[in-house]
Amino acid sequence: RLLGRVRFRAELERGGMTEVLTAVKKGASLEGENPTKNTLHLLAALTDFEEVADRDEELTKRLDTTHALAMLLSAKVGGTKGEGVLVELLRHLIAMPDETVRKNLEELEE
């Protein structure tokens, strides 16, 4: 489920959803103290959407296996083009000399 939600949100972000959400919230604020029922439903849905995104972000911080992280990254980049680039990146890392990989890992740990 987490991977599906991450993939869904990534697609929405690539499609400009962040700007749409900002515009919807701004538009709702223009309705003042008496927003329409539709506006209230939309704002409630956006709040739920953001709360789930926050919970998912916390869940992703708890992933601690290479396999789980690779699956998450794959879901985030989405599509065959994104996954192709990810595969190439992983192949590039695998092809690095061991010493270079260790050095980079040590730098990440600091």
Side-chain angles (χ1 to χ4, degrees):
R1 289 189 200 186
L2 173 63
L3 296 177
R5 290 191 305 267
V6 167
R7 181 174 283 120
F8 180 69
R9 272 194 303 281
E11 287 296 326
L12 289 175
E13 287 174 14
R14 282 191 284 278
M17 188 63 167
T18 303
E19 291 82 8
V20 171
L21 293 175
T22 301
V24 166
K25 289 178 181 179
K26 185 175 182 178
S29 70
L30 296 175
E31 290 187 20
E33 294 182 20
N34 297 314
T36 65
K37 189 174 186 178
N38 287 339
T39 299
L40 292 173
H41 287 296
L42 183 57
L43 290 174
L46 292 176
T47 299
D48 289 346
F49 182 80
E50 290 170 342
E51 287 173 357
V52 169
D54 290 343
R55 285 195 307 267
D56 286 350
E57 187 175 329
E58 288 302 314
L59 285 173
T60 61
K61 290 177 183 176
R62 292 186 213 146
L63 295 177
D64 61 355
T65 67
T66 304
H67 180 72
L69 291 169
M71 288 178 58
L72 180 66
L73 187 55
S74 178
K76 190 169 181 89
V77 298
T80 55
K81 183 177 180 184
E83 289 181 15
V85 171
L86 177 58
V87 167
E88 288 303 312
L89 173 62
L90 293 174
R91 284 188 178 142
H92 174 74
L93 292 171
I94 291 168
M96 281 184 180
D98 291 349
E99 188 57 37
T100 303
V101 173
R102 285 188 190 100
K103 180 181 175 190
N104 287 323
L105 289 175
E106 288 171 5
E107 289 176 10
L108 284 173
E109 288 177 351
E110 291 175 0

mmCIF file of all heavy atoms in Angstrom, residues 18-50:
data_model
loop_
_atom_site.group_PDB
_atom_site.id
_atom_site.type_symbol
_atom_site.label_atom_id
_atom_site.label_comp_id
_atom_site.label_asym_id
_atom_site.label_seq_id
_atom_site.Cartn_x
_atom_site.Cartn_y
_atom_site.Cartn_z
ATOM 1 N N THR A 18 0.962 20.050 -6.750
ATOM 2 C CA THR A 18 1.337 20.972 -5.674
ATOM 3 C C THR A 18 0.759 22.362 -5.940
ATOM 4 O O THR A 18 0.188 22.988 -5.046
ATOM 5 C CB THR A 18 2.873 21.043 -5.538
ATOM 6 O OG1 THR A 18 3.367 19.728 -5.311
ATOM 7 C CG2 THR A 18 3.281 21.949 -4.405
ATOM 8 N N GLU A 19 0.882 22.814 -7.182
ATOM 9 C CA GLU A 19 0.346 24.120 -7.546
ATOM 10 C C GLU A 19 -1.176 24.131 -7.461
ATOM 11 O O GLU A 19 -1.786 25.114 -7.045
ATOM 12 C CB GLU A 19 0.802 24.514 -8.955
ATOM 13 C CG GLU A 19 2.275 24.807 -9.060
ATOM 14 C CD GLU A 19 3.144 23.559 -9.205
ATOM 15 O OE1 GLU A 19 2.617 22.433 -9.375
ATOM 16 O OE2 GLU A 19 4.369 23.700 -9.106
ATOM 17 N N VAL A 20 -1.787 23.019 -7.869
ATOM 18 C CA VAL A 20 -3.255 22.922 -7.807
ATOM 19 C C VAL A 20 -3.725 22.993 -6.352
ATOM 20 O O VAL A 20 -4.681 23.718 -6.038
ATOM 21 C CB VAL A 20 -3.749 21.624 -8.487
ATOM 22 C CG1 VAL A 20 -5.233 21.404 -8.235
ATOM 23 C CG2 VAL A 20 -3.447 21.661 -9.975
ATOM 24 N N LEU A 21 -3.064 22.267 -5.470
ATOM 25 C CA LEU A 21 -3.452 22.288 -4.061
ATOM 26 C C LEU A 21 -3.340 23.691 -3.480
ATOM 27 O O LEU A 21 -4.225 24.146 -2.743
ATOM 28 C CB LEU A 21 -2.586 21.323 -3.252
ATOM 29 C CG LEU A 21 -2.755 19.835 -3.552
ATOM 30 C CD1 LEU A 21 -1.745 19.015 -2.759
ATOM 31 C CD2 LEU A 21 -4.156 19.376 -3.254
ATOM 32 N N THR A 22 -2.276 24.376 -3.824
ATOM 33 C CA THR A 22 -2.089 25.750 -3.349
ATOM 34 C C THR A 22 -3.208 26.647 -3.864
ATOM 35 O O THR A 22 -3.777 27.450 -3.115
ATOM 36 C CB THR A 22 -0.715 26.293 -3.801
ATOM 37 O OG1 THR A 22 0.299 25.439 -3.274
ATOM 38 C CG2 THR A 22 -0.496 27.705 -3.322
ATOM 39 N N ALA A 23 -3.555 26.501 -5.132
ATOM 40 C CA ALA A 23 -4.616 27.324 -5.723
ATOM 41 C C ALA A 23 -5.971 27.019 -5.093
ATOM 42 O O ALA A 23 -6.765 27.938 -4.836
ATOM 43 C CB ALA A 23 -4.671 27.094 -7.234
ATOM 44 N N VAL A 24 -6.242 25.744 -4.824
ATOM 45 C CA VAL A 24 -7.524 25.368 -4.207
ATOM 46 C C VAL A 24 -7.627 25.976 -2.815
ATOM 47 O O VAL A 24 -8.671 26.542 -2.447
ATOM 48 C CB VAL A 24 -7.667 23.825 -4.144
ATOM 49 C CG1 VAL A 24 -8.804 23.407 -3.229
ATOM 50 C CG2 VAL A 24 -7.869 23.264 -5.540
ATOM 51 N N LYS A 25 -6.569 25.882 -2.049
ATOM 52 C CA LYS A 25 -6.594 26.456 -0.692
ATOM 53 C C LYS A 25 -6.770 27.970 -0.735
ATOM 54 O O LYS A 25 -7.511 28.541 0.057
ATOM 55 C CB LYS A 25 -5.320 26.076 0.064
ATOM 56 C CG LYS A 25 -5.279 24.619 0.442
ATOM 57 C CD LYS A 25 -3.985 24.274 1.135
ATOM 58 C CE LYS A 25 -3.947 22.803 1.485
ATOM 59 N NZ LYS A 25 -2.705 22.420 2.143
ATOM 60 N N LYS A 26 -6.087 28.605 -1.673
ATOM 61 C CA LYS A 26 -6.220 30.056 -1.798
ATOM 62 C C LYS A 26 -7.646 30.418 -2.207
ATOM 63 O O LYS A 26 -8.239 31.353 -1.663
ATOM 64 C CB LYS A 26 -5.221 30.595 -2.814
ATOM 65 C CG LYS A 26 -5.220 32.094 -2.918
ATOM 66 C CD LYS A 26 -4.133 32.600 -3.842
ATOM 67 C CE LYS A 26 -4.143 34.117 -3.867
ATOM 68 N NZ LYS A 26 -3.068 34.633 -4.712
ATOM 69 N N GLY A 27 -8.191 29.673 -3.151
ATOM 70 C CA GLY A 27 -9.566 29.916 -3.592
ATOM 71 C C GLY A 27 -10.560 29.720 -2.461
ATOM 72 O O GLY A 27 -11.510 30.496 -2.301
ATOM 73 N N ALA A 28 -10.339 28.692 -1.650
ATOM 74 C CA ALA A 28 -11.239 28.431 -0.518
ATOM 75 C C ALA A 28 -11.177 29.570 0.485
ATOM 76 O O ALA A 28 -12.206 29.948 1.070
ATOM 77 C CB ALA A 28 -10.873 27.111 0.145
ATOM 78 N N SER A 29 -10.012 30.135 0.668
ATOM 79 C CA SER A 29 -9.893 31.241 1.626
ATOM 80 C C SER A 29 -10.650 32.476 1.149
ATOM 81 O O SER A 29 -11.090 33.300 1.949
ATOM 82 C CB SER A 29 -8.424 31.582 1.882
ATOM 83 O OG SER A 29 -7.850 32.188 0.746
ATOM 84 N N LEU A 30 -10.846 32.592 -0.145
ATOM 85 C CA LEU A 30 -11.588 33.726 -0.695
ATOM 86 C C LEU A 30 -13.088 33.636 -0.404
ATOM 87 O O LEU A 30 -13.789 34.634 -0.486
ATOM 88 C CB LEU A 30 -11.357 33.834 -2.206
ATOM 89 C CG LEU A 30 -9.922 34.133 -2.637
ATOM 90 C CD1 LEU A 30 -9.807 34.099 -4.157
ATOM 91 C CD2 LEU A 30 -9.455 35.475 -2.093
ATOM 92 N N GLU A 31 -13.554 32.435 -0.074
ATOM 93 C CA GLU A 31 -14.967 32.268 0.252
ATOM 94 C C GLU A 31 -15.302 32.825 1.631
ATOM 95 O O GLU A 31 -16.463 32.938 1.987
ATOM 96 C CB GLU A 31 -15.376 30.796 0.161
ATOM 97 C CG GLU A 31 -15.405 30.268 -1.250
ATOM 98 C CD GLU A 31 -15.962 28.873 -1.337
ATOM 99 O OE1 GLU A 31 -16.676 28.419 -0.416
ATOM 100 O OE2 GLU A 31 -15.682 28.214 -2.353
ATOM 101 N N GLY A 32 -14.276 33.126 2.391
ATOM 102 C CA GLY A 32 -14.493 33.752 3.694
ATOM 103 C C GLY A 32 -15.033 32.783 4.736
ATOM 104 O O GLY A 32 -14.679 31.605 4.766
ATOM 105 N N GLU A 33 -15.904 33.300 5.593
ATOM 106 C CA GLU A 33 -16.416 32.515 6.724
ATOM 107 C C GLU A 33 -17.533 31.561 6.355
ATOM 108 O O GLU A 33 -17.936 30.737 7.178
ATOM 109 C CB GLU A 33 -16.894 33.463 7.831
ATOM 110 C CG GLU A 33 -15.767 34.259 8.449
ATOM 111 C CD GLU A 33 -16.262 35.163 9.570
ATOM 112 O OE1 GLU A 33 -17.356 34.906 10.118
ATOM 113 O OE2 GLU A 33 -15.547 36.114 9.900
ATOM 114 N N ASN A 34 -18.050 31.667 5.147
ATOM 115 C CA ASN A 34 -19.162 30.807 4.733
ATOM 116 C C ASN A 34 -18.820 30.001 3.480
ATOM 117 O O ASN A 34 -19.444 30.181 2.429
ATOM 118 C CB ASN A 34 -20.420 31.658 4.468
ATOM 119 C CG ASN A 34 -20.894 32.365 5.703
ATOM 120 O OD1 ASN A 34 -20.972 31.763 6.762
ATOM 121 N ND2 ASN A 34 -21.199 33.646 5.580
ATOM 122 N N PRO A 35 -17.861 29.098 3.605
ATOM 123 C CA PRO A 35 -17.512 28.294 2.425
ATOM 124 C C PRO A 35 -18.659 27.355 2.062
ATOM 125 O O PRO A 35 -19.460 26.953 2.918
ATOM 126 C CB PRO A 35 -16.279 27.519 2.867
ATOM 127 C CG PRO A 35 -16.335 27.494 4.348
ATOM 128 C CD PRO A 35 -17.061 28.735 4.768
ATOM 129 N N THR A 36 -18.724 27.007 0.792
ATOM 130 C CA THR A 36 -19.765 26.092 0.340
ATOM 131 C C THR A 36 -19.502 24.685 0.876
ATOM 132 O O THR A 36 -18.383 24.365 1.305
ATOM 133 C CB THR A 36 -19.814 26.036 -1.196
ATOM 134 O OG1 THR A 36 -18.586 25.470 -1.672
ATOM 135 C CG2 THR A 36 -20.038 27.414 -1.796
ATOM 136 N N LYS A 37 -20.524 23.874 0.818
ATOM 137 C CA LYS A 37 -20.393 22.488 1.279
ATOM 138 C C LYS A 37 -19.329 21.752 0.447
ATOM 139 O O LYS A 37 -18.533 20.988 0.983
ATOM 140 C CB LYS A 37 -21.753 21.794 1.162
ATOM 141 C CG LYS A 37 -21.817 20.449 1.801
ATOM 142 C CD LYS A 37 -23.239 19.904 1.751
ATOM 143 C CE LYS A 37 -23.340 18.611 2.527
ATOM 144 N NZ LYS A 37 -24.708 18.086 2.529
ATOM 145 N N ASN A 38 -19.309 21.998 -0.851
ATOM 146 C CA ASN A 38 -18.308 21.359 -1.724
ATOM 147 C C ASN A 38 -16.898 21.769 -1.333
ATOM 148 O O ASN A 38 -15.980 20.948 -1.337
ATOM 149 C CB ASN A 38 -18.566 21.710 -3.191
ATOM 150 C CG ASN A 38 -19.776 21.002 -3.743
ATOM 151 O OD1 ASN A 38 -20.209 19.977 -3.217
ATOM 152 N ND2 ASN A 38 -20.340 21.550 -4.800
ATOM 153 N N THR A 39 -16.726 23.040 -1.003
ATOM 154 C CA THR A 39 -15.404 23.522 -0.593
ATOM 155 C C THR A 39 -14.974 22.844 0.700
ATOM 156 O O THR A 39 -13.815 22.423 0.835
ATOM 157 C CB THR A 39 -15.413 25.054 -0.417
ATOM 158 O OG1 THR A 39 -15.745 25.651 -1.670
ATOM 159 C CG2 THR A 39 -14.064 25.566 0.054
ATOM 160 N N LEU A 40 -15.904 22.715 1.641
ATOM 161 C CA LEU A 40 -15.583 22.053 2.909
ATOM 162 C C LEU A 40 -15.181 20.601 2.688
ATOM 163 O O LEU A 40 -14.221 20.119 3.298
ATOM 164 C CB LEU A 40 -16.769 22.140 3.870
ATOM 165 C CG LEU A 40 -17.095 23.537 4.393
ATOM 166 C CD1 LEU A 40 -18.393 23.517 5.206
ATOM 167 C CD2 LEU A 40 -15.945 24.083 5.212
ATOM 168 N N HIS A 41 -15.883 19.898 1.799
ATOM 169 C CA HIS A 41 -15.534 18.505 1.488
ATOM 170 C C HIS A 41 -14.153 18.426 0.828
ATOM 171 O O HIS A 41 -13.353 17.552 1.161
ATOM 172 C CB HIS A 41 -16.582 17.863 0.576
ATOM 173 C CG HIS A 41 -17.863 17.539 1.251
ATOM 174 N ND1 HIS A 41 -17.971 16.629 2.271
ATOM 175 C CD2 HIS A 41 -19.115 18.015 1.045
ATOM 176 C CE1 HIS A 41 -19.214 16.545 2.674
ATOM 177 N NE2 HIS A 41 -19.940 17.395 1.947
ATOM 178 N N LEU A 42 -13.903 19.344 -0.077
ATOM 179 C CA LEU A 42 -12.612 19.362 -0.764
ATOM 180 C C LEU A 42 -11.477 19.635 0.212
ATOM 181 O O LEU A 42 -10.447 18.954 0.197
ATOM 182 C CB LEU A 42 -12.627 20.409 -1.878
ATOM 183 C CG LEU A 42 -11.380 20.521 -2.736
ATOM 184 C CD1 LEU A 42 -11.039 19.193 -3.395
ATOM 185 C CD2 LEU A 42 -11.576 21.588 -3.804
ATOM 186 N N LEU A 43 -11.672 20.598 1.083
ATOM 187 C CA LEU A 43 -10.629 20.909 2.071
ATOM 188 C C LEU A 43 -10.406 19.743 3.035
ATOM 189 O O LEU A 43 -9.271 19.461 3.410
ATOM 190 C CB LEU A 43 -10.994 22.178 2.840
ATOM 191 C CG LEU A 43 -10.931 23.477 2.032
ATOM 192 C CD1 LEU A 43 -11.455 24.641 2.861
ATOM 193 C CD2 LEU A 43 -9.531 23.743 1.523
ATOM 194 N N ALA A 44 -11.480 19.062 3.423
ATOM 195 C CA ALA A 44 -11.339 17.889 4.303
ATOM 196 C C ALA A 44 -10.549 16.789 3.590
ATOM 197 O O ALA A 44 -9.681 16.147 4.194
ATOM 198 C CB ALA A 44 -12.712 17.384 4.733
ATOM 199 N N ALA A 45 -10.825 16.582 2.306
ATOM 200 C CA ALA A 45 -10.100 15.566 1.543
ATOM 201 C C ALA A 45 -8.627 15.935 1.418
ATOM 202 O O ALA A 45 -7.745 15.073 1.535
ATOM 203 C CB ALA A 45 -10.731 15.398 0.158
ATOM 204 N N LEU A 46 -8.353 17.214 1.186
ATOM 205 C CA LEU A 46 -6.955 17.654 1.089
ATOM 206 C C LEU A 46 -6.228 17.477 2.417
ATOM 207 O O LEU A 46 -5.061 17.078 2.442
ATOM 208 C CB LEU A 46 -6.886 19.116 0.646
ATOM 209 C CG LEU A 46 -7.332 19.410 -0.782
ATOM 210 C CD1 LEU A 46 -7.302 20.907 -1.045
ATOM 211 C CD2 LEU A 46 -6.479 18.663 -1.780
ATOM 212 N N THR A 47 -6.923 17.746 3.509
ATOM 213 C CA THR A 47 -6.329 17.548 4.834
ATOM 214 C C THR A 47 -6.005 16.073 5.044
ATOM 215 O O THR A 47 -4.911 15.731 5.504
ATOM 216 C CB THR A 47 -7.279 18.062 5.927
ATOM 217 O OG1 THR A 47 -7.487 19.463 5.724
ATOM 218 C CG2 THR A 47 -6.711 17.834 7.313
ATOM 219 N N ASP A 48 -6.944 15.197 4.700
ATOM 220 C CA ASP A 48 -6.705 13.752 4.812
ATOM 221 C C ASP A 48 -5.510 13.337 3.947
ATOM 222 O O ASP A 48 -4.656 12.556 4.376
ATOM 223 C CB ASP A 48 -7.932 12.958 4.384
ATOM 224 C CG ASP A 48 -9.076 13.063 5.378
ATOM 225 O OD1 ASP A 48 -8.845 13.529 6.514
ATOM 226 O OD2 ASP A 48 -10.206 12.683 5.007
ATOM 227 N N PHE A 49 -5.460 13.848 2.736
ATOM 228 C CA PHE A 49 -4.385 13.532 1.802
ATOM 229 C C PHE A 49 -3.034 13.924 2.396
ATOM 230 O O PHE A 49 -2.070 13.154 2.363
ATOM 231 C CB PHE A 49 -4.636 14.273 0.483
ATOM 232 C CG PHE A 49 -3.628 14.001 -0.592
ATOM 233 C CD1 PHE A 49 -3.704 12.844 -1.344
ATOM 234 C CD2 PHE A 49 -2.616 14.905 -0.859
ATOM 235 C CE1 PHE A 49 -2.774 12.586 -2.351
ATOM 236 C CE2 PHE A 49 -1.683 14.663 -1.853
ATOM 237 C CZ PHE A 49 -1.767 13.498 -2.602
ATOM 238 N N GLU A 50 -2.960 15.117 2.971
ATOM 239 C CA GLU A 50 -1.714 15.598 3.564
ATOM 240 C C GLU A 50 -1.341 14.806 4.818
ATOM 241 O O GLU A 50 -0.166 14.529 5.052
ATOM 242 C CB GLU A 50 -1.818 17.087 3.874
ATOM 243 C CG GLU A 50 -1.850 17.940 2.612
ATOM 244 C CD GLU A 50 -2.196 19.393 2.865
ATOM 245 O OE1 GLU A 50 -2.751 19.727 3.938
ATOM 246 O OE2 GLU A 50 -1.918 20.209 1.968
#
